[in-house]
Amino acid sequence: MRVFRSLFGFVALILSGLFAASHADIYMYTDKNGNKYFSERKENENYTLLLRSDTNKKPHSFRNWKAKSYTNISIPRDKTLQRKYHPIILKAAEKNQLDPAFLHAVITAESAYQRYAVSSAGAQGLMQLMPETAKRFSVTDSFDPIQNIYAGALYLKILLKEFKTRELAAAAYNAGEGAVRRYKRQIPPYPETQKYVSKVLTFYQYYQHNL
């Protein structure tokens, strides 16, 4: 499991991913520090069942599901990187009819403005684009802030158009569009997705008054 640490010294953010087979159950273990570990089988008594395979019958259903610990994600105290990327965020938001505060909120939750953030699932850059997502939006370099932010903004625009609310758009950005559809356009009952949505909305409210 790769751990991504911010440059601001706040608690480490666990970035992990699952490439499970279509018929695998998913188990989770949380250690005393709040770090989360995932497995296709019950490794020991500390692992609890998170998802059964019958909740998602599409082959490779967990391929794009990024399991993260969002509990300790914070808005960086040092605003240097936020200010650095703010002009790009403003332009991307304007182009895609997004509230810049929402785009800032997603970037904070995904990478805390770390351009070279990489999850063990392969998500990259400021908005943690999966390779499939990067390809979908013609991104040639996910570490290029302009390409990354514009692609992430376009994706959020598409999600907002389909799901109508920021809550569901954030849930789909985290857990995948298919997951939100399967759960009848409600936030999927994945603990990490629920934490993620809560964080994004909290950040959004903050950035509405602090940009």
Side-chain angles (χ1 to χ4, degrees):
M1 176 177 292
R2 179 178 300 177
V3 178
F4 166 71
R5 300 181 184 277
S6 78
L7 297 179
F8 308 115
F10 56 87
V11 181
L13 168 63
I14 302 300
L15 296 171
S16 66
L18 300 174
F19 290 82
S22 59
H23 298 291
D25 292 337
I26 304 300
Y27 291 85
M28 181 179 73
Y29 160 61
T30 304
D31 67 18
K32 63 181 180 180
N33 296 317
N35 299 324
K36 298 184 187 299
Y37 303 86
F38 297 82
S39 175
E40 298 173 24
R41 58 186 177 276
K42 191 176 178 65
E43 301 288 348
N44 55 51
E45 66 275 10
N46 294 319
Y47 280 79
T48 58
L49 182 66
L50 178 64
L51 293 173
R52 288 194 181 278
S53 59
D54 60 2
T55 64
N56 192 333
K57 297 180 181 179
K58 183 179 179 180
H60 306 295
S61 58
F62 296 104
R63 182 175 178 81
N64 295 323
W65 191 74
K66 298 179 294 180
K68 302 180 184 180
S69 175
Y70 291 100
T71 304
N72 295 311
I73 298 174
S74 301
I75 293 172
R77 294 180 181 179
D78 187 329
K79 305 299 182 184
T80 302
L81 291 177
Q82 178 187 315
R83 289 192 292 266
K84 177 180 180 180
Y85 297 120
H86 184 62
I88 302 173
I89 293 169
L90 280 180
K91 291 179 180 178
E94 180 180 5
K95 181 176 181 180
N96 292 286
Q97 297 85 52
L98 297 176
D99 186 338
F102 185 54
L103 200 48
H104 272 284
V106 172
I107 290 173
T108 299
E110 289 292 340
S111 69
Y113 299 97
Q114 301 303 305
R115 174 181 177 179
Y116 294 107
V118 178
S119 79
S120 59
Q124 299 179 333
L126 291 160
M127 298 198 70
Q128 289 290 275
L129 302 179
M130 291 295 290
E132 295 86 351
T133 306
K135 183 178 180 180
R136 175 180 177 182
F137 296 110
S138 302
V139 173
T140 58
D141 181 2
S142 289
F143 297 119
D144 176 5
I146 295 176
Q147 290 191 57
N148 189 286
I149 292 172
Y150 271 77
L154 177 56
Y155 189 27
L156 285 173
K157 176 183 178 180
I158 291 170
L159 295 176
L160 280 166
K161 183 177 181 180
E162 176 175 356
F163 298 114
K164 310 304 180 186
T165 69
R166 292 185 181 90
E167 291 90 338
L168 291 181
Y173 196 92
N174 173 260
E177 301 151 77
V180 177
R181 295 186 191 113
R182 281 190 299 279
Y183 286 99
K184 300 180 180 179
R185 298 180 180 274
Q186 298 181 37
I187 297 173
Y190 308 156
E192 297 305 323
T193 298
Q194 293 175 345
K195 291 177 184 178
Y196 175 84
V197 172
S198 177
K199 282 291 186 179
V200 167
L201 295 180
T202 300
F203 296 157
Y204 173 60
Q205 293 175 351
Y206 170 83
Y207 284 127
Q208 281 184 304
H209 305 286
N210 294 278
L211 283 180

PDB file of all heavy atoms in Angstrom, residues 7-43:
ATOM      1  N   LEU A   7       2.798  17.917   1.749  1.00  0.00           N
ATOM      2  CA  LEU A   7       3.935  18.740   2.107  1.00  0.00           C
ATOM      3  C   LEU A   7       3.616  19.647   3.280  1.00  0.00           C
ATOM      4  O   LEU A   7       4.469  20.375   3.741  1.00  0.00           O
ATOM      5  CB  LEU A   7       4.369  19.583   0.902  1.00  0.00           C
ATOM      6  CG  LEU A   7       4.851  18.783  -0.297  1.00  0.00           C
ATOM      7  CD1 LEU A   7       5.234  19.736  -1.418  1.00  0.00           C
ATOM      8  CD2 LEU A   7       6.010  17.891   0.066  1.00  0.00           C
ATOM      9  N   PHE A   8       2.388  19.592   3.775  1.00  0.00           N
ATOM     10  CA  PHE A   8       1.987  20.527   4.813  1.00  0.00           C
ATOM     11  C   PHE A   8       2.038  19.912   6.195  1.00  0.00           C
ATOM     12  O   PHE A   8       1.730  20.553   7.168  1.00  0.00           O
ATOM     13  CB  PHE A   8       0.583  21.062   4.528  1.00  0.00           C
ATOM     14  CG  PHE A   8       0.473  21.608   3.144  1.00  0.00           C
ATOM     15  CD1 PHE A   8      -0.367  21.016   2.215  1.00  0.00           C
ATOM     16  CD2 PHE A   8       1.234  22.697   2.760  1.00  0.00           C
ATOM     17  CE1 PHE A   8      -0.457  21.525   0.931  1.00  0.00           C
ATOM     18  CE2 PHE A   8       1.141  23.198   1.488  1.00  0.00           C
ATOM     19  CZ  PHE A   8       0.300  22.613   0.571  1.00  0.00           C
ATOM     20  N   GLY A   9       2.368  18.645   6.314  1.00  0.00           N
ATOM     21  CA  GLY A   9       2.585  18.042   7.608  1.00  0.00           C
ATOM     22  C   GLY A   9       1.350  17.533   8.317  1.00  0.00           C
ATOM     23  O   GLY A   9       1.433  17.077   9.449  1.00  0.00           O
ATOM     24  N   PHE A  10       0.182  17.587   7.648  1.00  0.00           N
ATOM     25  CA  PHE A  10      -0.962  17.018   8.327  1.00  0.00           C
ATOM     26  C   PHE A  10      -1.009  15.519   8.088  1.00  0.00           C
ATOM     27  O   PHE A  10      -0.211  14.963   7.375  1.00  0.00           O
ATOM     28  CB  PHE A  10      -2.290  17.699   7.943  1.00  0.00           C
ATOM     29  CG  PHE A  10      -2.587  17.705   6.479  1.00  0.00           C
ATOM     30  CD1 PHE A  10      -3.250  16.641   5.887  1.00  0.00           C
ATOM     31  CD2 PHE A  10      -2.222  18.790   5.704  1.00  0.00           C
ATOM     32  CE1 PHE A  10      -3.531  16.662   4.537  1.00  0.00           C
ATOM     33  CE2 PHE A  10      -2.510  18.803   4.359  1.00  0.00           C
ATOM     34  CZ  PHE A  10      -3.154  17.740   3.780  1.00  0.00           C
ATOM     35  N   VAL A  11      -1.945  14.870   8.712  1.00  0.00           N
ATOM     36  CA  VAL A  11      -1.959  13.408   8.772  1.00  0.00           C
ATOM     37  C   VAL A  11      -1.896  12.784   7.401  1.00  0.00           C
ATOM     38  O   VAL A  11      -2.517  13.267   6.465  1.00  0.00           O
ATOM     39  CB  VAL A  11      -3.234  12.929   9.502  1.00  0.00           C
ATOM     40  CG1 VAL A  11      -3.272  11.409   9.599  1.00  0.00           C
ATOM     41  CG2 VAL A  11      -3.290  13.540  10.895  1.00  0.00           C
ATOM     42  N   ALA A  12      -1.143  11.685   7.279  1.00  0.00           N
ATOM     43  CA  ALA A  12      -0.960  11.015   5.981  1.00  0.00           C
ATOM     44  C   ALA A  12      -2.289  10.568   5.412  1.00  0.00           C
ATOM     45  O   ALA A  12      -3.180  10.149   6.128  1.00  0.00           O
ATOM     46  CB  ALA A  12      -0.050   9.799   6.162  1.00  0.00           C
ATOM     47  N   LEU A  13      -2.379  10.687   4.104  1.00  0.00           N
ATOM     48  CA  LEU A  13      -3.580  10.243   3.377  1.00  0.00           C
ATOM     49  C   LEU A  13      -3.268   8.927   2.692  1.00  0.00           C
ATOM     50  O   LEU A  13      -2.343   8.833   1.899  1.00  0.00           O
ATOM     51  CB  LEU A  13      -3.964  11.293   2.333  1.00  0.00           C
ATOM     52  CG  LEU A  13      -5.003  10.889   1.291  1.00  0.00           C
ATOM     53  CD1 LEU A  13      -6.327  10.595   1.988  1.00  0.00           C
ATOM     54  CD2 LEU A  13      -5.186  11.981   0.263  1.00  0.00           C
ATOM     55  N   ILE A  14      -4.042   7.912   3.030  1.00  0.00           N
ATOM     56  CA  ILE A  14      -3.833   6.600   2.420  1.00  0.00           C
ATOM     57  C   ILE A  14      -4.482   6.577   1.055  1.00  0.00           C
ATOM     58  O   ILE A  14      -5.656   6.852   0.920  1.00  0.00           O
ATOM     59  CB  ILE A  14      -4.447   5.495   3.289  1.00  0.00           C
ATOM     60  CG1 ILE A  14      -3.839   5.537   4.691  1.00  0.00           C
ATOM     61  CG2 ILE A  14      -4.237   4.126   2.666  1.00  0.00           C
ATOM     62  CD1 ILE A  14      -2.363   5.346   4.745  1.00  0.00           C
ATOM     63  N   LEU A  15      -3.687   6.249   0.064  1.00  0.00           N
ATOM     64  CA  LEU A  15      -4.213   6.131  -1.288  1.00  0.00           C
ATOM     65  C   LEU A  15      -4.026   4.683  -1.732  1.00  0.00           C
ATOM     66  O   LEU A  15      -2.919   4.237  -1.975  1.00  0.00           O
ATOM     67  CB  LEU A  15      -3.452   7.061  -2.246  1.00  0.00           C
ATOM     68  CG  LEU A  15      -3.599   8.557  -1.967  1.00  0.00           C
ATOM     69  CD1 LEU A  15      -2.640   9.342  -2.835  1.00  0.00           C
ATOM     70  CD2 LEU A  15      -5.007   8.983  -2.225  1.00  0.00           C
ATOM     71  N   SER A  16      -5.110   3.963  -1.803  1.00  0.00           N
ATOM     72  CA  SER A  16      -5.023   2.574  -2.229  1.00  0.00           C
ATOM     73  C   SER A  16      -6.122   2.275  -3.211  1.00  0.00           C
ATOM     74  O   SER A  16      -7.088   3.015  -3.311  1.00  0.00           O
ATOM     75  CB  SER A  16      -5.130   1.632  -1.027  1.00  0.00           C
ATOM     76  OG  SER A  16      -6.405   1.736  -0.467  1.00  0.00           O
ATOM     77  N   GLY A  17      -5.996   1.175  -3.964  1.00  0.00           N
ATOM     78  CA  GLY A  17      -7.033   0.835  -4.949  1.00  0.00           C
ATOM     79  C   GLY A  17      -7.211  -0.650  -5.067  1.00  0.00           C
ATOM     80  O   GLY A  17      -6.372  -1.431  -4.638  1.00  0.00           O
ATOM     81  N   LEU A  18      -8.289  -1.042  -5.683  1.00  0.00           N
ATOM     82  CA  LEU A  18      -8.621  -2.447  -5.823  1.00  0.00           C
ATOM     83  C   LEU A  18      -8.712  -2.826  -7.284  1.00  0.00           C
ATOM     84  O   LEU A  18      -9.352  -2.155  -8.051  1.00  0.00           O
ATOM     85  CB  LEU A  18      -9.969  -2.731  -5.147  1.00  0.00           C
ATOM     86  CG  LEU A  18     -10.020  -2.426  -3.646  1.00  0.00           C
ATOM     87  CD1 LEU A  18     -11.458  -2.610  -3.154  1.00  0.00           C
ATOM     88  CD2 LEU A  18      -9.086  -3.338  -2.889  1.00  0.00           C
ATOM     89  N   PHE A  19      -8.064  -3.946  -7.621  1.00  0.00           N
ATOM     90  CA  PHE A  19      -8.212  -4.505  -8.955  1.00  0.00           C
ATOM     91  C   PHE A  19      -8.725  -5.925  -8.775  1.00  0.00           C
ATOM     92  O   PHE A  19      -8.069  -6.901  -9.115  1.00  0.00           O
ATOM     93  CB  PHE A  19      -6.865  -4.506  -9.690  1.00  0.00           C
ATOM     94  CG  PHE A  19      -6.400  -3.146 -10.052  1.00  0.00           C
ATOM     95  CD1 PHE A  19      -5.753  -2.342  -9.135  1.00  0.00           C
ATOM     96  CD2 PHE A  19      -6.622  -2.653 -11.330  1.00  0.00           C
ATOM     97  CE1 PHE A  19      -5.326  -1.086  -9.480  1.00  0.00           C
ATOM     98  CE2 PHE A  19      -6.193  -1.397 -11.679  1.00  0.00           C
ATOM     99  CZ  PHE A  19      -5.538  -0.611 -10.749  1.00  0.00           C
ATOM    100  N   ALA A  20      -9.925  -6.026  -8.233  1.00  0.00           N
ATOM    101  CA  ALA A  20     -10.457  -7.324  -7.834  1.00  0.00           C
ATOM    102  C   ALA A  20     -11.149  -8.005  -8.986  1.00  0.00           C
ATOM    103  O   ALA A  20     -11.633  -7.385  -9.907  1.00  0.00           O
ATOM    104  CB  ALA A  20     -11.448  -7.153  -6.684  1.00  0.00           C
ATOM    105  N   ALA A  21     -11.218  -9.321  -8.880  1.00  0.00           N
ATOM    106  CA  ALA A  21     -11.966 -10.087  -9.867  1.00  0.00           C
ATOM    107  C   ALA A  21     -13.441  -9.824  -9.685  1.00  0.00           C
ATOM    108  O   ALA A  21     -13.902  -9.401  -8.642  1.00  0.00           O
ATOM    109  CB  ALA A  21     -11.680 -11.580  -9.683  1.00  0.00           C
ATOM    110  N   SER A  22     -14.200 -10.105 -10.728  1.00  0.00           N
ATOM    111  CA  SER A  22     -15.608  -9.744 -10.721  1.00  0.00           C
ATOM    112  C   SER A  22     -16.404 -10.503  -9.680  1.00  0.00           C
ATOM    113  O   SER A  22     -17.489 -10.083  -9.301  1.00  0.00           O
ATOM    114  CB  SER A  22     -16.214  -9.977 -12.106  1.00  0.00           C
ATOM    115  OG  SER A  22     -16.076 -11.329 -12.469  1.00  0.00           O
ATOM    116  N   HIS A  23     -15.895 -11.651  -9.191  1.00  0.00           N
ATOM    117  CA  HIS A  23     -16.647 -12.439  -8.234  1.00  0.00           C
ATOM    118  C   HIS A  23     -16.020 -12.376  -6.847  1.00  0.00           C
ATOM    119  O   HIS A  23     -16.307 -13.220  -6.011  1.00  0.00           O
ATOM    120  CB  HIS A  23     -16.743 -13.889  -8.710  1.00  0.00           C
ATOM    121  CG  HIS A  23     -17.470 -14.023 -10.007  1.00  0.00           C
ATOM    122  ND1 HIS A  23     -18.826 -13.793 -10.136  1.00  0.00           N
ATOM    123  CD2 HIS A  23     -17.016 -14.334 -11.241  1.00  0.00           C
ATOM    124  CE1 HIS A  23     -19.191 -13.978 -11.398  1.00  0.00           C
ATOM    125  NE2 HIS A  23     -18.115 -14.301 -12.078  1.00  0.00           N
ATOM    126  N   ALA A  24     -15.185 -11.389  -6.581  1.00  0.00           N
ATOM    127  CA  ALA A  24     -14.499 -11.302  -5.297  1.00  0.00           C
ATOM    128  C   ALA A  24     -15.284 -10.464  -4.308  1.00  0.00           C
ATOM    129  O   ALA A  24     -15.853  -9.446  -4.665  1.00  0.00           O
ATOM    130  CB  ALA A  24     -13.110 -10.708  -5.494  1.00  0.00           C
ATOM    131  N   ASP A  25     -15.295 -10.937  -3.048  1.00  0.00           N
ATOM    132  CA  ASP A  25     -15.779 -10.081  -1.980  1.00  0.00           C
ATOM    133  C   ASP A  25     -14.643  -9.154  -1.581  1.00  0.00           C
ATOM    134  O   ASP A  25     -13.468  -9.427  -1.863  1.00  0.00           O
ATOM    135  CB  ASP A  25     -16.194 -10.930  -0.775  1.00  0.00           C
ATOM    136  CG  ASP A  25     -17.435 -11.774  -1.051  1.00  0.00           C
ATOM    137  OD1 ASP A  25     -18.195 -11.399  -1.964  1.00  0.00           O
ATOM    138  OD2 ASP A  25     -17.616 -12.786  -0.368  1.00  0.00           O
ATOM    139  N   ILE A  26     -14.994  -8.060  -0.918  1.00  0.00           N
ATOM    140  CA  ILE A  26     -13.997  -7.092  -0.500  1.00  0.00           C
ATOM    141  C   ILE A  26     -14.053  -6.947   1.012  1.00  0.00           C
ATOM    142  O   ILE A  26     -15.106  -6.658   1.582  1.00  0.00           O
ATOM    143  CB  ILE A  26     -14.237  -5.713  -1.160  1.00  0.00           C
ATOM    144  CG1 ILE A  26     -14.257  -5.843  -2.685  1.00  0.00           C
ATOM    145  CG2 ILE A  26     -13.153  -4.729  -0.723  1.00  0.00           C
ATOM    146  CD1 ILE A  26     -12.991  -6.374  -3.300  1.00  0.00           C
ATOM    147  N   TYR A  27     -12.890  -7.170   1.675  1.00  0.00           N
ATOM    148  CA  TYR A  27     -12.792  -7.045   3.121  1.00  0.00           C
ATOM    149  C   TYR A  27     -11.929  -5.840   3.468  1.00  0.00           C
ATOM    150  O   TYR A  27     -11.011  -5.478   2.715  1.00  0.00           O
ATOM    151  CB  TYR A  27     -12.181  -8.305   3.729  1.00  0.00           C
ATOM    152  CG  TYR A  27     -13.087  -9.515   3.635  1.00  0.00           C
ATOM    153  CD1 TYR A  27     -13.112 -10.305   2.483  1.00  0.00           C
ATOM    154  CD2 TYR A  27     -13.928  -9.851   4.693  1.00  0.00           C
ATOM    155  CE1 TYR A  27     -13.942 -11.405   2.397  1.00  0.00           C
ATOM    156  CE2 TYR A  27     -14.766 -10.953   4.606  1.00  0.00           C
ATOM    157  CZ  TYR A  27     -14.772 -11.718   3.458  1.00  0.00           C
ATOM    158  OH  TYR A  27     -15.606 -12.803   3.368  1.00  0.00           O
ATOM    159  N   MET A  28     -12.199  -5.238   4.636  1.00  0.00           N
ATOM    160  CA  MET A  28     -11.459  -4.055   5.058  1.00  0.00           C
ATOM    161  C   MET A  28     -10.994  -4.193   6.504  1.00  0.00           C
ATOM    162  O   MET A  28     -11.704  -4.760   7.341  1.00  0.00           O
ATOM    163  CB  MET A  28     -12.323  -2.795   4.928  1.00  0.00           C
ATOM    164  CG  MET A  28     -11.613  -1.510   5.338  1.00  0.00           C
ATOM    165  SD  MET A  28     -12.670  -0.045   5.150  1.00  0.00           S
ATOM    166  CE  MET A  28     -13.792  -0.294   6.545  1.00  0.00           C
ATOM    167  N   TYR A  29      -9.800  -3.692   6.770  1.00  0.00           N
ATOM    168  CA  TYR A  29      -9.261  -3.644   8.130  1.00  0.00           C
ATOM    169  C   TYR A  29      -8.754  -2.240   8.395  1.00  0.00           C
ATOM    170  O   TYR A  29      -8.059  -1.658   7.562  1.00  0.00           O
ATOM    171  CB  TYR A  29      -8.135  -4.668   8.289  1.00  0.00           C
ATOM    172  CG  TYR A  29      -7.195  -4.393   9.455  1.00  0.00           C
ATOM    173  CD1 TYR A  29      -7.660  -4.353  10.763  1.00  0.00           C
ATOM    174  CD2 TYR A  29      -5.845  -4.170   9.229  1.00  0.00           C
ATOM    175  CE1 TYR A  29      -6.800  -4.100  11.818  1.00  0.00           C
ATOM    176  CE2 TYR A  29      -4.978  -3.926  10.269  1.00  0.00           C
ATOM    177  CZ  TYR A  29      -5.450  -3.880  11.573  1.00  0.00           C
ATOM    178  OH  TYR A  29      -4.598  -3.630  12.610  1.00  0.00           O
ATOM    179  N   THR A  30      -9.112  -1.663   9.525  1.00  0.00           N
ATOM    180  CA  THR A  30      -8.639  -0.342   9.917  1.00  0.00           C
ATOM    181  C   THR A  30      -7.715  -0.501  11.113  1.00  0.00           C
ATOM    182  O   THR A  30      -8.118  -1.044  12.158  1.00  0.00           O
ATOM    183  CB  THR A  30      -9.811   0.581  10.299  1.00  0.00           C
ATOM    184  OG1 THR A  30     -10.731   0.644   9.204  1.00  0.00           O
ATOM    185  CG2 THR A  30      -9.305   1.988  10.609  1.00  0.00           C
ATOM    186  N   ASP A  31      -6.462  -0.039  10.996  1.00  0.00           N
ATOM    187  CA  ASP A  31      -5.524  -0.188  12.104  1.00  0.00           C
ATOM    188  C   ASP A  31      -5.721   0.919  13.139  1.00  0.00           C
ATOM    189  O   ASP A  31      -6.589   1.787  12.994  1.00  0.00           O
ATOM    190  CB  ASP A  31      -4.078  -0.252  11.604  1.00  0.00           C
ATOM    191  CG  ASP A  31      -3.585   1.060  10.995  1.00  0.00           C
ATOM    192  OD1 ASP A  31      -4.207   2.120  11.238  1.00  0.00           O
ATOM    193  OD2 ASP A  31      -2.568   1.024  10.273  1.00  0.00           O
ATOM    194  N   LYS A  32      -4.927   0.907  14.178  1.00  0.00           N
ATOM    195  CA  LYS A  32      -5.110   1.847  15.291  1.00  0.00           C
ATOM    196  C   LYS A  32      -4.840   3.289  14.889  1.00  0.00           C
ATOM    197  O   LYS A  32      -5.264   4.214  15.590  1.00  0.00           O
ATOM    198  CB  LYS A  32      -4.194   1.457  16.449  1.00  0.00           C
ATOM    199  CG  LYS A  32      -2.705   1.521  16.128  1.00  0.00           C
ATOM    200  CD  LYS A  32      -1.875   1.082  17.325  1.00  0.00           C
ATOM    201  CE  LYS A  32      -0.383   1.147  17.013  1.00  0.00           C
ATOM    202  NZ  LYS A  32       0.426   0.718  18.197  1.00  0.00           N
ATOM    203  N   ASN A  33      -4.143   3.481  13.767  1.00  0.00           N
ATOM    204  CA  ASN A  33      -3.870   4.832  13.280  1.00  0.00           C
ATOM    205  C   ASN A  33      -4.903   5.314  12.269  1.00  0.00           C
ATOM    206  O   ASN A  33      -4.770   6.406  11.726  1.00  0.00           O
ATOM    207  CB  ASN A  33      -2.474   4.893  12.659  1.00  0.00           C
ATOM    208  CG  ASN A  33      -1.379   4.634  13.670  1.00  0.00           C
ATOM    209  OD1 ASN A  33      -1.424   5.147  14.790  1.00  0.00           O
ATOM    210  ND2 ASN A  33      -0.396   3.821  13.287  1.00  0.00           N
ATOM    211  N   GLY A  34      -5.883   4.491  12.008  1.00  0.00           N
ATOM    212  CA  GLY A  34      -6.916   4.884  11.056  1.00  0.00           C
ATOM    213  C   GLY A  34      -6.613   4.520   9.622  1.00  0.00           C
ATOM    214  O   GLY A  34      -7.399   4.814   8.719  1.00  0.00           O
ATOM    215  N   ASN A  35      -5.467   3.867   9.380  1.00  0.00           N
ATOM    216  CA  ASN A  35      -5.131   3.439   8.023  1.00  0.00           C
ATOM    217  C   ASN A  35      -5.995   2.248   7.637  1.00  0.00           C
ATOM    218  O   ASN A  35      -6.273   1.368   8.461  1.00  0.00           O
ATOM    219  CB  ASN A  35      -3.654   3.044   7.929  1.00  0.00           C
ATOM    220  CG  ASN A  35      -2.742   4.189   8.269  1.00  0.00           C
ATOM    221  OD1 ASN A  35      -3.030   5.340   7.949  1.00  0.00           O
ATOM    222  ND2 ASN A  35      -1.640   3.889   8.935  1.00  0.00           N
ATOM    223  N   LYS A  36      -6.418   2.210   6.375  1.00  0.00           N
ATOM    224  CA  LYS A  36      -7.333   1.172   5.926  1.00  0.00           C
ATOM    225  C   LYS A  36      -6.650   0.242   4.929  1.00  0.00           C
ATOM    226  O   LYS A  36      -5.929   0.692   4.052  1.00  0.00           O
ATOM    227  CB  LYS A  36      -8.589   1.805   5.316  1.00  0.00           C
ATOM    228  CG  LYS A  36      -9.367   2.650   6.325  1.00  0.00           C
ATOM    229  CD  LYS A  36     -10.649   3.196   5.731  1.00  0.00           C
ATOM    230  CE  LYS A  36     -11.300   4.173   6.704  1.00  0.00           C
ATOM    231  NZ  LYS A  36     -11.657   3.548   7.990  1.00  0.00           N
ATOM    232  N   TYR A  37      -6.907  -1.048   5.078  1.00  0.00           N
ATOM    233  CA  TYR A  37      -6.325  -2.062   4.217  1.00  0.00           C
ATOM    234  C   TYR A  37      -7.458  -2.902   3.618  1.00  0.00           C
ATOM    235  O   TYR A  37      -8.438  -3.203   4.290  1.00  0.00           O
ATOM    236  CB  TYR A  37      -5.372  -2.953   5.014  1.00  0.00           C
ATOM    237  CG  TYR A  37      -4.277  -2.182   5.702  1.00  0.00           C
ATOM    238  CD1 TYR A  37      -4.488  -1.632   6.965  1.00  0.00           C
ATOM    239  CD2 TYR A  37      -3.061  -1.972   5.081  1.00  0.00           C
ATOM    240  CE1 TYR A  37      -3.493  -0.900   7.589  1.00  0.00           C
ATOM    241  CE2 TYR A  37      -2.050  -1.259   5.703  1.00  0.00           C
ATOM    242  CZ  TYR A  37      -2.271  -0.717   6.962  1.00  0.00           C
ATOM    243  OH  TYR A  37      -1.293   0.008   7.566  1.00  0.00           O
ATOM    244  N   PHE A  38      -7.297  -3.291   2.357  1.00  0.00           N
ATOM    245  CA  PHE A  38      -8.356  -3.992   1.643  1.00  0.00           C
ATOM    246  C   PHE A  38      -7.832  -5.319   1.103  1.00  0.00           C
ATOM    247  O   PHE A  38      -6.670  -5.444   0.704  1.00  0.00           O
ATOM    248  CB  PHE A  38      -8.895  -3.134   0.501  1.00  0.00           C
ATOM    249  CG  PHE A  38      -9.527  -1.855   0.972  1.00  0.00           C
ATOM    250  CD1 PHE A  38      -8.759  -0.753   1.259  1.00  0.00           C
ATOM    251  CD2 PHE A  38     -10.901  -1.774   1.157  1.00  0.00           C
ATOM    252  CE1 PHE A  38      -9.329   0.423   1.718  1.00  0.00           C
ATOM    253  CE2 PHE A  38     -11.484  -0.610   1.621  1.00  0.00           C
ATOM    254  CZ  PHE A  38     -10.696   0.494   1.896  1.00  0.00           C
ATOM    255  N   SER A  39      -8.689  -6.317   1.081  1.00  0.00           N
ATOM    256  CA  SER A  39      -8.300  -7.634   0.601  1.00  0.00           C
ATOM    257  C   SER A  39      -9.499  -8.322  -0.040  1.00  0.00           C
ATOM    258  O   SER A  39     -10.647  -7.994   0.263  1.00  0.00           O
ATOM    259  CB  SER A  39      -7.775  -8.485   1.762  1.00  0.00           C
ATOM    260  OG  SER A  39      -7.495  -9.808   1.332  1.00  0.00           O
ATOM    261  N   GLU A  40      -9.199  -9.272  -0.926  1.00  0.00           N
ATOM    262  CA  GLU A  40     -10.258 -10.057  -1.557  1.00  0.00           C
ATOM    263  C   GLU A  40     -10.712 -11.206  -0.662  1.00  0.00           C
ATOM    264  O   GLU A  40     -11.687 -11.878  -0.972  1.00  0.00           O
ATOM    265  CB  GLU A  40      -9.761 -10.632  -2.890  1.00  0.00           C
ATOM    266  CG  GLU A  40      -9.394  -9.566  -3.903  1.00  0.00           C
ATOM    267  CD  GLU A  40      -8.754 -10.170  -5.143  1.00  0.00           C
ATOM    268  OE1 GLU A  40      -9.016 -11.372  -5.401  1.00  0.00           O
ATOM    269  OE2 GLU A  40      -7.997  -9.489  -5.831  1.00  0.00           O
ATOM    270  N   ARG A  41     -10.026 -11.422   0.459  1.00  0.00           N
ATOM    271  CA  ARG A  41     -10.416 -12.493   1.381  1.00  0.00           C
ATOM    272  C   ARG A  41     -10.214 -12.014   2.818  1.00  0.00           C
ATOM    273  O   ARG A  41      -9.523 -11.026   3.078  1.00  0.00           O
ATOM    274  CB  ARG A  41      -9.586 -13.743   1.123  1.00  0.00           C
ATOM    275  CG  ARG A  41      -8.092 -13.533   1.249  1.00  0.00           C
ATOM    276  CD  ARG A  41      -7.337 -14.777   0.836  1.00  0.00           C
ATOM    277  NE  ARG A  41      -5.898 -14.575   0.894  1.00  0.00           N
ATOM    278  CZ  ARG A  41      -5.184 -14.033  -0.072  1.00  0.00           C
ATOM    279  NH1 ARG A  41      -5.793 -13.645  -1.194  1.00  0.00           N
ATOM    280  NH2 ARG A  41      -3.885 -13.876   0.042  1.00  0.00           N
ATOM    281  N   LYS A  42     -10.787 -12.716   3.750  1.00  0.00           N
ATOM    282  CA  LYS A  42     -10.673 -12.374   5.167  1.00  0.00           C
ATOM    283  C   LYS A  42      -9.318 -12.849   5.667  1.00  0.00           C
ATOM    284  O   LYS A  42      -9.145 -14.028   6.002  1.00  0.00           O
ATOM    285  CB  LYS A  42     -11.817 -13.017   5.959  1.00  0.00           C
ATOM    286  CG  LYS A  42     -11.941 -12.526   7.386  1.00  0.00           C
ATOM    287  CD  LYS A  42     -13.169 -13.159   8.043  1.00  0.00           C
ATOM    288  CE  LYS A  42     -13.307 -12.719   9.500  1.00  0.00           C
ATOM    289  NZ  LYS A  42     -13.568 -11.272   9.622  1.00  0.00           N
ATOM    290  N   GLU A  43      -8.344 -11.951   5.709  1.00  0.00           N
ATOM    291  CA  GLU A  43      -6.981 -12.326   6.068  1.00  0.00           C
ATOM    292  C   GLU A  43      -6.876 -12.805   7.511  1.00  0.00           C
ATOM    293  O   GLU A  43      -6.123 -13.722   7.814  1.00  0.00           O
ATOM    294  CB  GLU A  43      -6.049 -11.122   5.855  1.00  0.00           C
ATOM    295  CG  GLU A  43      -6.025 -10.589   4.434  1.00  0.00           C
ATOM    296  CD  GLU A  43      -5.296 -11.506   3.472  1.00  0.00           C
ATOM    297  OE1 GLU A  43      -4.606 -12.442   3.938  1.00  0.00           O
ATOM    298  OE2 GLU A  43      -5.393 -11.288   2.248  1.00  0.00           O
TER     299      GLU A  43
END
